[in-house]
Amino acid sequence: LHEGLGCLAAGVRTSLAWGRGPRARTRVTHLRGVGGWLTAVRPMGSRIPKKQVLQLTDAAVQRVRDLLQLRGKEYVKLGLKSRGCNGLTYTLNYSDEKGKFDEVVTQDGVSVIVDSKAIMYVLGTTMDYVEDRLRREFVFHNPNSKGECGCGESFNV
């Protein structure tokens, strides 16, 4: 068994180990933990499942679809702005093109672009559309949010 040692940075060591045949190739990652080094072994070419950046409820999908058809646009773009009591607010704008590092989330035929600067703040967020006697709005259920202002317009992470 041969072993090639990768980089050592911030307590992470990666090495590639291979033996005979393509199935013997593995990637070994060593992580420095509180009690010492932890080791994770996985076959080369296997991917760690990627967490969904944004999920849309059925109501949100239908409302986005209606808005895109009404305006004749291809995408709705989700972004963040610094404002409000708690620091960050969500922005939704129409868009016909995506940026180089933007993430496109397609669900039930509707595509939403997540701005590249907002991805790390909205990772795992569920976008819903609520309509009742007092309001009609998109509501975001963000697991990264540490707090919201009283009116719900802004949040912090």
Side-chain angles (χ1 to χ4, degrees), residues 4-156:
L5 187 60
C7 68
L8 172 62
V12 177
R13 282 191 290 195
T14 301
S15 58
L16 303 176
W18 59 92
R20 297 180 193 265
R23 293 181 186 215
R25 294 176 44 187
T26 59
R27 178 179 307 275
V28 182
T29 304
H30 307 280
L31 303 169
R32 187 179 316 203
V34 175
W37 288 90
L38 304 170
T39 303
V41 179
R42 62 185 171 96
M44 290 291 292
S46 69
R47 296 243 179 231
I48 297 173
K50 189 172 153 182
K51 188 173 186 179
Q52 183 79 11
V53 174
L54 181 70
Q55 293 181 341
L56 286 79
T57 63
D58 292 338
V61 167
Q62 187 58 47
R63 183 60 180 162
V64 169
R65 181 178 290 126
D66 294 344
L67 291 172
L68 291 175
Q69 287 175 351
L70 185 67
R71 290 287 181 116
K73 297 290 183 176
E74 192 172 345
Y75 304 107
V76 170
K77 187 170 187 173
L78 173 65
L80 295 176
K81 277 195 173 180
S82 294
R83 85 175 128 179
C85 311
N86 259 346
L88 297 170
T89 59
Y90 299 101
T91 62
L92 282 173
N93 297 303
Y94 296 104
S95 181
D96 285 325
E97 56 188 47
K98 75 177 216 72
K100 185 175 181 180
F101 299 108
D102 293 344
E103 183 89 17
V104 178
V105 176
T106 303
Q107 186 174 324
D108 298 329
V110 171
S111 295
V112 177
I113 297 174
V114 180
D115 186 78
S116 61
K117 297 173 195 136
I119 290 173
M120 68 181 207
Y121 297 107
V122 301
L123 188 64
T125 297
T126 301
M127 180 176 161
D128 193 10
Y129 180 71
V130 178
E131 188 172 337
D132 59 26
R133 294 175 63 186
L134 298 175
R135 62 187 177 146
R136 294 191 313 185
E137 65 184 356
F138 286 103
V139 177
F140 297 91
H141 304 283
N142 189 339
N144 306 309
S145 175
K146 302 294 185 227
E148 295 179 349
C149 66
C151 65
E153 284 292 317
S154 62
F155 70 100
N156 64 27

